[in-house]
Amino acid sequence: MPNTDCELISELRSVLTSQRYSPVVAGNYCAYARGFLDYLARRSIPIAEVTEAQVGYYLHHAITMFRKRHGRPPGPCWHSIPRSGIHALLRLAQGRWPPAPKATCAADTLRFTICDEYEIWLREERGLAERSIYALMWEGRNFLTWQLDRCGVDSLVEMSVGDIDRYMDMRSPHQTRKSVKDVAERLRSLLRYLHRTRRTAIDLSPHVIAPLLYAYEGVPSILERDQIAAVLETASKDTTPIGLRDQAILQLLATYGLRSGEIRNLKIEDIDWRTESIRILHTKTRACSYLPLMAPVGEAILSYLRSGRPQTDAREVFVRTRAPYGRLRVLHSAVFRRIRDAGVKPPGKCGPHIFRHARAVEMLRASVPQKVIGDMLGHRSTESTAPYLKLATEDLRAIALDVPGSEVLS
């Protein structure tokens, strides 16, 4: 192996060690990265010019070699280890991975230009959140690719309502009404921007047809008190690091009804152990709430910090259980797994938000005023709290009056 490749592997090992990868994992990553460098050297491919397709070719080659050495194919998830090591190597060598796509034709050049300008506009002029920008950009790239590949680079100026209808017909199958409405709203945003920058002759955004959704037309899932207790009890039996982390997350969900992002963004300094309070930065309103640190929540978080949280420089309370130890990106899979293990089967969605609905209904049943419930959930107005209280169907049924008379037919 050339000296430059040896230096690259040595640097990769240092980076993995600084990110607190275990010595075994770091060794495996470096071994597969070394094999990939040998593969590139035999084919005279500079590492700075490696593409995603070439990584795929190498993984196929590695599977073939594994079969020759061991007389059997590798396991279904075997490729994830060499791929992770190779990606870490390429991030180090190229500065970013996967690489930025390169324009191969005039349509690609136009699409990249529009998308870059559109993203800047969304971020700097509209000031949208990263998740909103990601969703809008995904739809924008998808629509521009579909339109430019189908009709050419000059088709935007001549685009008509028929083109919009055909795109929506292509996107709508196998999607819920809510998803179709989301597609329509994201497409309207792009069309308004295209007209604003004079890339389309007319503003086509009013012609995007979306299904009409009614307020409170659906009742989401809810967990009863005994079901929440079952989930917490089942999770408490898992004393592994991931079990301690999930137990603390579930206690926060069940006690305060926090949003997923509010838990993921919770930092070490947000917990004041002396005054027994916790600071919550609400993701939607950006307002702060100071709540009392309840004993079950404090004990669960303390157990996680002492025995479950890996050593890391991250300030977020909850981090990944595998290196690199950064903040959690999602909670849904962890919460879904704990609910499933407890044998609880809600009728609808089964994610962190059902604890939020359950907490609101529980406070309503305890005769807590709606304004106080809204303050607890971090709402600016009582209108935002109303959807959470529609779940108390049994309470409403109990106070309903029997109306005498015959049935009214529509």
Side-chain angles (χ1 to χ4, degrees), residues 29 48 61 72 83 173 241 260 276 320 345 369 380 383 405:
Y29 279 17
H61 167 75
R72 61 175 178 82
R83 183 175 58 192
S260 173
E276 297 184 349
R320 288 161 40 95
K345 298 180 179 179
R380 284 179 175 171
E383 294 180 358

Side-chain angles (χ1 to χ4, degrees), residues 43-68:
R43 287 159 177 78
S44 301
I45 302 174
I47 192 170
E49 300 177 6
V50 172
T51 64
E52 292 182 272
Q54 289 168 335
V55 175
Y57 296 148
Y58 171 74
L59 291 175
H60 181 74
H61 167 75
I63 291 173
T64 302
M65 297 304 295
F66 185 100
R67 186 182 290 109
K68 287 182 179 180

Side-chain angles (χ1 to χ4, degrees), residues 208-227:
V208 181
I209 300 176
L212 181 62
L213 301 181
Y214 297 94
Y216 316 144
E217 68 176 32
V219 177
S221 299
I222 184 175
L223 293 178
E224 298 296 338
R225 180 177 298 180
D226 58 337
Q227 293 176 316

